[in-house]
Amino acid sequence: MRIVLPLIGLLAATPATGQTLKPLIDARLRYEQVEQDGLPLDAQAVTLRVRAGVQASLGPLTALVEAQGNLAIVDDRFDGLSGSAARPLIADPETVAIHRAQLALKLPVVTLTAGRQRITLDDERFVGAVGFRQNGQSFDAVRAEATPVKGVKADLSYAWSVRTIWGINGTGARQRAVGGDNVFANLSWVSPIGTLTGFGYWVDQDEAAVQGFRLSSRTFGVRLAGIRTLGNAKLDYQLSHARQSDMGRNPNDYAAAYWLADVSVDLNGPKLGIGYEVLGADTGVALTSFQTPLGTNFKFQGWADKYLATPPDGVRDLYLSAGWGWKAIGPAKGVTLQAAWHRYESDRLTRHYGDELNLVALAKLGKTTASVRYADYRADGFATDTRKFWLQLDWTL
């Protein structure tokens, strides 16, 4: 960071042929309301997140710096760091911080990026930016992306610090930054049936995490993702399998498996989907199940966030989705309505955990995207009944 920021300033201040400057501004205003059985009070929050920065390019070199701030306008909640624990968690604490500060060098075969950056790999199940939360996640890292031949890509990153969603005041089990030696490696090939990716993720964390345990692990897997056009319909599919085991200073000795099968069809309006995801268990002891501490976990296993950390006995998620999309309705573009239903079971000692309904409606008006979301989790053998509601406006320059 001490090197990257001065270089960005120098690049932005130096006039040169071929130099371009691009402002980076986006804002998000969100209302979130949560009702959770077992807690005496409900939670609600109105938060405003603003990111602002600049990107400067000079030939093959690009420099970028971006700050972010999150302000709570209404703050009747527990934000993970402060507020009453008698209210449900809404994990968007107030903060002001440098979200990204990076240099990128684009050469004919390889792109090198150094500094604080967002890293999103594949569907973000294992490594992601946690984009739904107001503060997001970024990495202090160096990254190399190489395309030695057409259709083949190698992607290798080393991250020594993870800048978490808890912001500058993060502490305890919710650190502002988690140091360690993290290596993310992907090798993908665009085959006739889809993109085939082999991956290895080594997560070695310095700080204590959930229940005093570290989440250090090694994960190896393979993923196939493709799209097929069938007349006027579009078929989207993905298959993935991985194995995870402990590493580094993780006091647990475990091995667990991951499986995903997902298929959806877009009928040029109506959309239908079905999927099955398994985060396996080993012995049933806490944190001996398959964990994804660096993933964008809000995208998976329902929006009620009951499975951000995988239960000791693992979790199986069978889900169905249905929706409808319109390219335009009057001035609104990209109008989408969607519903998804999840049935959760344990992987070990198979038993029913609960069910969840997710609903979303969104539309774009100019540079603003408006969305409404709802999540209703009905507990059976895991956690408690929870209902969440969001109203959100996203604006991007």
Side-chain angles (χ1 to χ4, degrees), residues 126-149:
F126 303 107
V127 181
V130 195
F132 183 77
R133 297 268 51 112
Q134 295 286 56
N135 295 327
Q137 176 174 271
S138 57
F139 300 83
D140 292 339
V142 290
R143 183 181 186 185
E145 300 169 82
T147 52
V149 296

Side-chain angles (χ1 to χ4, degrees), residues 34-215:
V34 184
E35 302 173 7
Q36 182 173 317
D37 285 8
L39 293 177
L41 301 173
D42 296 340
Q44 61 177 343
V46 176
T47 53
L48 175 63
R49 195 280 311 282
V50 176
R51 288 179 181 155
V54 63
Q55 176 178 295
S57 299
L58 178 59
L61 185 64
T62 299
L64 183 155
V65 63
E66 181 182 54
Q68 76 175 4
N70 184 46
L71 172 67
I73 301 169
V74 176
D75 202 11
D76 298 327
R77 56 164 179 169
F78 175 53
D79 68 9
L81 304 175
S82 61
S84 173
R87 297 183 185 274
L89 172 67
I90 297 179
D92 296 315
E94 292 187 307
T95 192
V96 176
I98 297 295
H99 182 57
R100 291 189 290 170
Q102 66 186 56
L103 284 173
L105 178 63
K106 187 172 183 180
L107 301 174
V109 176
V110 64
T111 297
L112 303 174
T113 307
R116 187 165 301 168
Q117 56 191 284
R118 289 198 290 262
I119 300 177
T120 58
L121 299 176
D122 298 321
D123 59 357
E124 300 188 58
R125 191 33 160 149
F126 303 107
V127 181
V130 195
F132 183 77
R133 297 268 51 112
Q134 295 286 56
N135 295 327
Q137 176 174 271
S138 57
F139 300 83
D140 292 339
V142 290
R143 183 181 186 185
E145 300 169 82
T147 52
V149 296
K150 184 178 180 180
V152 175
K153 180 180 179 181
D155 192 328
L156 179 64
S157 301
Y158 167 69
W160 58 89
S161 180
V162 181
R163 299 287 161 164
T164 73
I165 66 169
W166 303 111
I168 59 173
N169 296 315
T171 186
R174 297 183 170 113
Q175 293 283 327
R176 58 185 276 182
V178 180
D181 296 303
N182 305 287
V183 177
F184 315 133
N186 270 29
L187 181 62
S188 62
W189 169 52
V190 181
S191 78
I193 60 171
T195 300
L196 182 64
T197 304
F199 55 84
Y201 303 131
W202 293 261
V203 177
D204 190 3
Q205 298 191 327
D206 292 342
E207 302 294 343
V210 181
Q211 300 178 6
F213 293 100
R214 292 179 173 89
L215 293 176

Side-chain angles (χ1 to χ4, degrees), residues 123 125-126 199 219-223 238-244 256-261 276-281 290-292 300-301 315 319:
D123 59 357
R125 191 33 160 149
F126 303 107
F199 55 84
T219 303
F220 302 100
V222 63
R223 180 174 187 267
Q238 53 182 324
L239 300 168
S240 185
H241 171 61
R243 296 285 298 181
Q244 184 180 93
Y258 172 85
W259 298 92
L260 171 69
Y276 188 60
E277 185 183 41
V278 179
L279 279 74
F290 199 104
Q291 303 290 332
T292 59
F300 303 88
Q301 298 178 337
V315 59
Y319 54 92

Side-chain angles (χ1 to χ4, degrees), residues 271-290:
K271 299 178 181 181
L272 301 171
I274 183 171
Y276 188 60
E277 185 183 41
V278 179
L279 279 74
D282 189 346
T283 63
V285 176
L287 298 178
T288 61
S289 51
F290 199 104

Side-chain angles (χ1 to χ4, degrees), residues 334-345:
V335 180
T336 300
L337 302 175
Q338 187 170 13
W341 172 82
H342 298 258
R343 178 179 173 83
Y344 306 109
E345 294 182 341

